[in-house]
Amino acid sequence: MGAGGRMSVPPSQRKPESGSMKRVPISKPPFTLSEIKKAIPPHCFKRSLVRSFSYLIYDMILISIFYYVATTYIHYLPQPLSFVAWAVYWAVQGSVMTGVWVIAHECGHHAFSDYQWVDDTVGLIFHSALLVPYFSWKYSHRRHHSNTGSLERDEVFVPKKRSSIRWWAKYLNNPPGRFFSVTIQLTIGWPLYLMFNVAGRPYDGFACHYNPYGPIYNDRERLQIYVSDVGVLAVTYGLYRLVLAKGLAWVVCVYGVPLLIVNAFLVMITYLQHTHPALPHYDSSEWDWLRGALATVDRDYGILNKVFHNITDTHVAHHLFSTMPHYHAMEATKAIKPILGEYYSFDGMPVYKAIFREAKECIFVEPDEGEQSSKGVYWFKNKL
């Protein structure tokens, strides 16, 4: 190379425009899943029924304390202070309830105990309590783990290609438009996904998590979809009886607003785990399971990492070994980082900034231009 010349940088090694993280390599990894597993201490794969229940019980004790304090003392406060007290209650209660959601999610992965019936019973009870159809989401989420990073078969947060962008996207590609989009996503995004498969993969026919005969499920799964629906309906009826006994305002304040916060955290966590300018997506000509599983990113939520049982900062390990209990995931993440090297992704940007950055940077996907680019590898772009 002559003086003053420049070496061409392969697309997989270029930094994204945001500059926060180098692009994940797109070449076949120089390691196998079994080699990653060997780097993790064997005890990390052991599930303890007692230890798993201890986290659930701890969360339920906190929820009970917050409920007792809110319903016993807040009404004694003068009005300005009572508004602040309710806001604090909603924030802390919603955060801890998100931790319960994560534990129920672990039940769906058979990571709670060695007994499938225990996992399904606990998961059904606590997901239903949060108005989540347990088996319905368990099966669709399992397919997400089986097809992560695939443009054709991944289940959720499947990015659009440039040709699929709707006409109104250009009118939302500005700060007010992004604020509106993020607000809608965090408030009603989760129920829209469950009911109408919004942001999910396209199916032939009406895809709905409450429909046992929808295209998401096969014949072996349909009976359990009915069970999920019964669980959600039972809790809904219980809430109706509470409204009759306590009033709508009481139910909204005690349960409704914390549930909205749970839903917002769930969407934010999942969106930020799979949406980043440095993460590739693959079409069927390039996709394989290991590279797809590695196309996710760990984030830092500060103290909420512990409240959320580290689903936020150990998501890469979770995608590689989804039956591993959350209480071993930090140790496992530390063990696999030297093996993964550049294939491990972490972004420490504060999440309240990251969600608006990703909303700006990650509008659609398309392959990089140039002869060195792989046409089956798609990157997030934002130039409409």
Side-chain angles (χ1 to χ4, degrees):
M1 184 172 67
R6 289 185 177 178
M7 183 178 294
S8 178
V9 180
S12 64
Q13 301 300 317
R14 296 180 195 150
K15 290 185 178 181
E17 291 181 12
S18 62
S20 62
M21 194 174 86
K22 189 163 69 171
R23 276 183 170 182
V24 174
I26 59 173
S27 57
K28 298 279 186 180
F31 46 78
T32 64
L33 185 64
S34 61
E35 289 172 337
I36 302 172
K37 188 173 182 179
K38 288 178 182 177
I40 301 174
H43 72 266
C44 289
F45 297 97
K46 293 182 179 179
R47 295 164 291 204
S48 167
L49 184 64
V50 173
R51 188 168 182 185
S52 294
F53 263 115
S54 72
Y55 285 95
L56 180 59
I57 292 170
Y58 179 76
D59 283 350
M60 294 308 298
I61 289 173
L62 289 179
I63 289 171
S64 300
I65 291 172
F66 297 150
Y67 164 80
Y68 175 78
V69 171
T71 56
T72 304
Y73 297 109
I74 289 182
H75 68 274
Y76 288 119
L77 297 174
Q79 220 170 46
L81 285 179
S82 66
F83 292 152
V84 174
W86 277 117
V88 172
Y89 167 78
W90 294 333
V92 296
Q93 191 74 297
S95 297
V96 178
M97 287 168 61
T98 304
V100 173
W101 198 103
V102 171
I103 292 176
H105 148 268
E106 283 214 327
C107 292
H109 283 293
H110 195 21
F112 187 82
S113 75
D114 291 332
Y115 309 98
Q116 185 68 65
W117 70 270
V118 172
D119 289 27
D120 285 341
T121 301
V122 172
L124 177 63
I125 291 171
F126 287 94
H127 259 172
S128 298
L130 297 170
L131 299 183
V132 178
Y134 170 72
F135 289 107
S136 309
W137 190 78
K138 170 184 174 178
Y139 292 133
S140 68
H141 187 64
R142 179 183 296 173
R143 294 187 182 101
H144 160 63
H145 273 256
S146 298
N147 299 284
T148 307
S150 168
L151 283 175
E152 289 92 356
R153 297 187 304 275
D154 202 351
E155 281 288 336
V156 66
F157 287 121
V158 182
K160 290 181 172 60
K161 297 180 182 179
R162 182 195 287 268
S163 59
S164 301
I165 294 296
R166 300 296 183 91
W167 61 268
W168 62 75
K170 62 181 180 180
Y171 298 107
L172 297 177
N173 192 22
N174 50 65
R178 285 189 287 273
F179 181 82
F180 172 78
S181 298
V182 169
T183 300
I184 294 297
Q185 185 179 9
L186 296 184
T187 52
I188 61 175
W190 176 237
L192 287 178
Y193 170 65
L194 292 179
M195 290 188 288
F196 305 109
N197 199 40
V198 173
R201 61 166 284 189
Y203 280 99
D204 294 329
F206 177 55
C208 171
H209 279 73
Y210 302 100
N211 181 11
Y213 295 96
I216 302 176
Y217 308 110
N218 58 46
D219 290 339
R220 294 190 309 273
E221 298 165 345
R222 303 197 195 284
L223 178 60
Q224 290 179 309
I225 309 309
Y226 278 114
V227 174
S228 299
D229 291 347
V230 169
V232 172
L233 287 173
V235 173
T236 303
Y237 178 74
L239 292 172
Y240 166 72
R241 299 296 299 182
L242 269 178
V243 169
L244 295 181
K246 297 283 192 177
L248 179 61
W250 188 93
V251 174
V252 168
C253 286
V254 171
Y255 173 83
V257 179
L259 183 66
L260 288 176
I261 291 174
V262 172
N263 294 347
F265 273 134
L266 165 63
V267 172
M268 177 188 290
I269 290 168
T270 310
Y271 174 75
L272 291 179
Q273 285 165 342
H274 297 283
T275 308
H276 194 287
L279 296 180
H281 285 74
Y282 304 93
D283 67 16
S284 56
S285 69
E286 280 288 332
W287 182 88
D288 62 72
W289 183 87
L290 183 55
R291 283 191 294 169
L294 293 171
T296 183
V297 56
D298 287 347
R299 303 275 189 170
D300 185 8
Y301 284 66
I303 192 174
L304 291 177
N305 290 330
K306 292 297 182 184
V307 178
F308 298 159
H309 303 300
N310 296 107
I311 194 66
T312 46
D313 55 346
T314 64
H315 195 67
V316 175
H318 173 66
H319 260 274
L320 294 171
F321 306 104
S322 59
T323 59
M324 179 189 298
H326 68 85
Y327 40 82
H328 294 313
M330 288 296 291
E331 183 178 358
T333 296
K334 184 177 179 180
I336 66 177
K337 281 183 182 180
I339 303 294
L340 300 185
E342 289 186 320
Y343 288 84
Y344 173 75
S345 303
F346 175 84
D347 192 336
M349 173 178 282
V351 292
Y352 66 89
K353 293 183 178 180
I355 193 167
F356 287 101
R357 182 197 63 186
E358 312 321 15
K360 177 183 178 181
E361 301 284 342
C362 305
I363 298 177
F364 61 90
V365 292
E366 66 179 4
D368 279 334
E369 296 179 357
E371 296 180 359
Q372 298 183 46
S373 302
S374 171
K375 294 303 179 183
V377 182
Y378 290 71
W379 300 97
F380 281 112
K381 305 290 178 66
N382 67 348
K383 304 299 182 185
L384 293 173

